Every structure is written in C-alpha cells, then in structure tokens.
C-alpha cells in the first residue's frame, strides 16, 4: 500500500515528495478528479458518489521509469495554507470509494474537481480544489479553493 | 407566481373586510306598518245621528203677559270620536290576524351557515338577535366570518386545517354563561397561512429549479 506525502512551502526548494517515509525524487506529480456532475455537466449533490473520472500518478526522476500509480494508496498534500488528503484502497480503483479530506474535513460528497499538477520540467504548478455546496435557503455555491 | 398569490390574498382580505357592507340590507321595516298610522280606518263617526233634542220645541200656549215666546233649545253639539281603542283589542284587526308580528324567531341550526332570523327585529344583519347552535345562542354579529367561526365548533373536515380553506383563518367562539361569544377572523392565523403558502411555493420552485439557475461561484485561498 502506497503512502505518499507531498509538502511545499510555495517554491521549488521547499517542495518534497516522500513514499512510505523515504524521499521519492520525481519530475512530476499529477492528480486530477472530475466528479459530482450530471449528464448535462451541471453540479449535483453527491460528489464522488455520483462517479466520475480520475488520473493520479507520479513521474520519477529516474530515466526510463514509467508513471508510478498513486492508488490504491494514500497521499497527503501539505500546502502553505491548506492540507488535502486523498485515499483510495480499492484494488480496482472504484472512484466512489475515494475519500478526500480538506483540512481534516471529509468533502468526498461535495467534490467536483481537484487538480494538482506539479511539473518541474515544464516549471508549471497548478493546484486547486472545487466543491459543490448546496444551500437550503439561497443559491447553491460552487467554491473553488486555490491551493497554490 | 408569488405576485399572483399576493394579489389573490389582498382581494380575499378586502372582501372579508367589506363583507359587512354586503350584509347590511334592510327590508325597510321600521317597526310600524302602513306609514306609522296608529289608527285603523281613520274615519270619523257620529253617534246618534244628530243633535240632542232634535229641533225646536215650544212650551205651552199661554201667555204671561200675552206674548208668545218660543224657546228653542240650542242644538246639542255633535260628538265625534276616533275609532281607536285603548286597551286590549277584541277584534283581529284589518288583516284578520292577532298577535305580534312574525314567528317566535327561534331557529335551531347545526350547519356552518346559520339560518336567517326574522324574529323580533327582522333585519338581515342583526347584532342583537343570536343564532342558535344546537340550542345554544351564538352572538357573533353576523358577517362573512361568523359562519365559519360557528362551524369551527362542529367536526371539521381535514381541508379545514389547510390555509386554502376560509375556515382556517377563524377562531371558534368561546362558550360563556350559556352562550357562544366572539370568534371570527384571526390575524395570527392569517400570518401563519401566508407563511405556509409561501413555504409551499418556495418548495415547488426548488423542485423546478434547473442546474443553471441559483448557483453562485466563489473562490477561496
């Protein structure tokens, strides 16, 4: 079972990736989830339980090495102001079995999108998380949390 | 939709406030019949058909001093008296009817709408005359809401507890000293009815709300 820990302070020097307690040199870390939408693409209450699509891998710095699957397993993503934990231990990666925590709060049933792309080669960093928050009174909310 | 419901309630409320005006019809009976004449017949009559003493009369034929004097009694004045009587009548009047006007005025009613009461003062809207509910008088003042108020005393159907029925907005009368008093339109229930209907309208609008409407987008860091 893989247990990754990603930590960054906002620059490349403070960015690190560990696998099962050992540093994992990597060129790229990519995680993307799309869930919580109906057939028309409109957000609906339910999050990951409604199904969706997911891509998650780490690209080691070792030449010739292929993409390293993050799941089944768990990854902690520690950003300067937020902490995200993604866990899925199902052997066939059933997306409905994925748990997503934002600052230790389970947001699995509110998740719409999450994208984390840390590409050292392209010098590109993207990290955000989108939740759907329905409200009984007033308009529903689509909240985007910018992680980096 | 909300605007239509608000207009509808304004019309219903306005009709209830002015319902008294529709009920204030009087048949114009002021207590007397025939224009206030207190006498029947109205004619005059004389008794005896003439004056007392008839015509002249002369006395004697003699003379006291030789002259003939004739005396004539002055005609007695004629007396006329109205044909009105004081005290109890012995006849049944011009209409061949005796007794007071109308019936006893007591009507037993168990329906939500009380029967019209013509006893005593026979006006449509009568604050004084009660409506009898199961033998017990109800002083409700008449009007649109009093009928529903007295109907609240009996077994009400299920829809009477919904804000779509006029009887929902009335309170039942209070039993005191052998009669029912009060009851009628309740502003508290009216406000509750507005809240319930507003909640229903809001819930229905939530059902038909599409995905594109009513969503706001926010950003957090």
């Amino acid at each position: 079972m893989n247990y990754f820990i990603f930590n960054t302070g906002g620059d490349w020097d403070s960015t690190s990736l560990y696998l099962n307690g050992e540093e994992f040199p990597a060129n790229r870390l990519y995680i993307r989830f799309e869930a919580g939408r109906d057939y028309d693409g409109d957000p609906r209450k339910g999050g990951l339980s409604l199904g969706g699509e997911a891509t998650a891998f780490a690209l080691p710095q070792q030449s010739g090495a292929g993409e390293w699957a993050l799941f089944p397993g768990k990854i902690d993503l520690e950003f300067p102001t937020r902490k995200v934990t993604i866990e899925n231990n199902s052997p066939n990666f059933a997306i409905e079995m994925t748990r997503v925590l934002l600052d230790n709060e389970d947001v699995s049933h509110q998740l719409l999108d999450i994208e984390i792309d840390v590409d050292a080669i392209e010098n590109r960093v993207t990290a955000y998380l989108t939740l759907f928050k329905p409200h009984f009174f007033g308009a529903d909310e689509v909240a985007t949390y910018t992680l980096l | 939709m909300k605007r239509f419901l608000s207009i509808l309630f304004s019309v219903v409320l306005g009709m209830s406030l002015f319902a008294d005006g529709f009920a204030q019809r009087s048949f114009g009976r002021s207590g007397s019949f025939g224009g206030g004449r207190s006498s029947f017949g109205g004619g005059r009559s004389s008794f005896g058909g003439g004056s007392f003493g008839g015509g002249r009369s002369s006395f004697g034929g003699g003379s006291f001093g030789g002259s003939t004097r004739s005396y004539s009694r002055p005609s007695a004045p004629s007396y006329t008296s109205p044909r009105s009587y004081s005290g109890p009548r012995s006849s049944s009047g011009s209409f061949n009817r005796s007794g007071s006007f109308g019936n006893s005025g007591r009507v037993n009613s168990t329906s939500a709408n009380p029967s019209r009461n013509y006893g005593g003062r026979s006006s449509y809207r009568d604050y004084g005359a009660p409506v009898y509910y199961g033998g017990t008088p109800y002083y409700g003042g008449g009007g649109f809401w009093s009928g529903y108020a007295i109907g609240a005393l009996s077994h009400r159907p299920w829809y009477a507890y919904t804000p779509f029925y006029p009887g929902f907005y009335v309170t039942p009368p209070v039993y005191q000293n052998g009669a029912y008093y009060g009851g009628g339109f309740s502003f508290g229930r009216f406000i509750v009815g507005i809240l319930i209907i507003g909640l229903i309208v809001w819930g229905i609008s939530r059902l038909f709300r599409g995905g594109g409407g009513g969503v706001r987008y926010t950003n957090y860091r």
Side-chain angles (χ1 to χ4, degrees):
Chain A
M1 196 68 65
N2 298 327
Y3 180 33
F4 284 89
I5 297 177
F6 172 83
N7 184 281
T8 180
D11 52 25
W12 290 113
D13 294 333
S14 61
T15 301
S16 61
L17 180 64
Y18 288 84
L19 173 60
N20 297 329
E22 296 182 0
E23 187 173 3
F24 185 92
N27 288 330
R28 187 182 185 189
L29 175 66
Y30 182 80
I31 300 173
R32 177 155 180 86
F33 279 80
E34 294 180 1
R37 298 182 186 274
D38 57 12
Y39 292 103
D40 298 328
D42 298 324
R44 280 288 177 264
K45 182 181 180 181
L48 291 170
S49 63
L50 299 179
E53 298 177 354
T55 304
F57 63 88
L59 187 64
Q61 289 183 355
Q62 184 178 357
S63 59
E67 297 175 348
W68 191 289
L70 300 181
F71 304 107
K74 178 182 176 180
I75 180 169
D76 289 338
L77 301 152
E78 299 175 355
F79 299 96
T81 58
R82 302 281 183 180
K83 179 182 177 181
V84 179
T85 300
I86 304 174
E87 183 178 5
N88 189 313
N89 296 317
S90 59
N92 297 324
F93 188 73
I95 192 173
E96 297 84 358
M97 303 298 294
T98 307
R99 284 186 70 227
V100 178
L101 284 79
L102 176 63
D103 295 332
N104 297 321
E105 179 183 355
D106 193 343
V107 294
S108 303
H109 295 284
Q110 298 177 335
L111 185 68
L112 285 180
D113 304 301
I114 182 171
E115 181 173 351
I116 298 171
D117 188 5
V118 180
D119 192 341
I121 298 175
E122 300 291 334
N123 193 20
R124 179 181 63 239
V125 177
T126 301
Y128 68 88
L129 181 146
T130 304
L131 302 178
F132 178 69
K133 298 182 179 181
H135 296 285
F136 196 75
F137 295 104
D140 299 334
E141 180 184 6
V142 175
T144 300
Y145 294 84
T146 303
L147 303 174
L148 280 176
Chain B
M1 185 66 175
K2 293 181 180 180
R3 187 174 184 179
F4 168 76
L5 286 177
S6 63
I7 293 174
L8 178 64
F9 266 105
S10 301
V11 171
V12 171
L13 181 59
M15 288 178 63
S16 68
L17 293 176
F18 293 101
D20 293 350
F22 293 111
Q24 283 180 347
R25 278 187 301 166
S26 170
F27 288 105
R29 302 187 180 191
S30 58
S32 62
F33 186 83
R37 289 180 290 176
S38 60
S39 62
F40 291 89
R44 66 187 68 173
S45 64
S46 60
F47 294 89
S51 59
F52 286 97
R56 306 180 178 183
S57 61
S58 60
F59 290 90
S63 63
F64 292 90
S67 60
T68 303
R69 298 181 180 178
S70 62
Y71 296 88
S72 61
R73 286 178 182 266
S75 60
S78 62
Y79 291 90
T80 60
S81 63
R83 191 171 286 184
S84 63
Y85 294 94
S86 62
R89 293 179 178 277
S90 61
S91 63
S92 61
S94 301
F95 292 91
N96 194 26
R97 195 177 185 88
S98 61
S100 59
F101 283 120
N103 54 17
S104 64
R106 292 171 184 265
V107 177
N108 291 330
S109 173
T110 58
S111 64
N113 297 315
S115 303
R116 300 288 179 257
N117 181 16
Y118 291 103
R121 300 157 54 195
S122 54
S123 60
Y124 181 80
R125 181 176 176 81
D126 188 359
Y127 290 97
V131 173
Y132 284 82
Y133 174 78
T136 304
Y138 164 59
Y139 297 90
F144 178 80
W145 297 106
S146 63
Y148 288 106
I150 196 172
L153 294 173
S154 61
H155 173 70
R156 296 198 285 180
W158 63 271
Y159 52 80
Y161 298 95
T162 63
F164 307 103
Y165 183 71
F168 175 85
Y169 301 99
V170 299
T171 55
V174 178
Y175 182 80
Q176 186 177 6
N177 296 330
Y180 290 103
Y181 297 91
F185 183 77
S186 169
F187 272 103
R189 288 173 175 251
F190 177 67
I191 293 174
V192 171
I194 289 179
L195 293 176
I196 293 175
I197 292 179
L199 189 65
I200 294 173
V201 171
W202 174 84
I204 294 174
S205 66
R206 284 277 297 182
L207 288 175
F208 288 96
R209 184 188 301 178
V215 179
R216 58 189 178 98
Y217 294 85
T218 57
N219 284 281
Y220 300 92
R221 292 195 64 87

